[in-house]
Amino acid sequence: MIGNGDEPFITAVKPLVDSMGGEMLPPDEAGPEDVVLAWQGVDVVAVRLPQLADSLDHILAAMERKQGRPLADLDRKSKQEVVRILEARGAFAVRHGVETVASALGVSRFTVYNYLNREKGA
């Protein structure tokens, strides 16, 4: 059971877990890849992190929500900023990351590479 007086801690970490696309579960259900969080010396909650590719999809969806419209509808400068943010977050280290981002932005892989190279040349 998650809770039992630990709700402030769980409430505090939930936005972080949600932003990563993670899942919160009772510590006794944690697997070897899960991260168990303790509060005041007691295991309170386990966090199951998503696979990196799923995390990228989650990040893109969150960016769309923040923009209030599909990323493909952004202007070129805004798309370049999205690529810069995603690069800083390691999005292009994920297998098929460039293709996934290109699809979300409604541009070609070549365009994403151009945005990346532009940033490095600046």
Side-chain angles (χ1 to χ4, degrees):
M1 169 90 185
I2 299 175
N4 300 339
D6 301 312
E7 289 82 9
F9 177 76
I10 291 170
T11 300
V13 298
K14 186 172 184 345
L16 176 62
V17 173
D18 289 347
S19 74
M20 295 183 303
E23 176 186 357
M24 297 172 72
L25 52 142
D28 60 346
E29 294 180 20
E33 300 298 319
D34 297 331
V35 178
V36 177
L37 302 177
W39 177 250
Q40 298 178 342
V42 178
D43 291 346
V44 176
V45 65
V47 177
R48 181 160 296 153
L49 299 173
Q51 297 297 314
L52 286 176
D54 295 336
S55 185
L56 178 54
D57 290 337
H58 194 81
I59 290 167
L60 288 166
M63 291 181 93
E64 265 192 4
R65 283 191 304 276
K66 185 176 180 180
Q67 294 290 332
R69 58 185 166 157
L71 297 177
D73 292 348
L74 299 176
D75 61 30
R76 190 180 68 141
K77 185 175 179 184
S78 297
K79 288 179 182 182
Q80 289 171 337
E81 178 67 11
V82 166
V83 168
R84 187 192 65 72
I85 292 167
L86 291 171
E87 182 180 30
R89 293 187 71 177
F92 302 111
V94 175
R95 183 179 172 143
H96 303 298
V98 170
E99 292 85 351
T100 301
V101 171
S103 177
L105 293 175
V107 299
S108 69
R109 290 180 313 137
F110 180 74
T111 299
V112 172
Y113 284 118
N114 279 341
Y115 291 169
L116 289 167
N117 289 333
R118 175 185 208 90
E119 183 66 26
K120 289 179 175 124

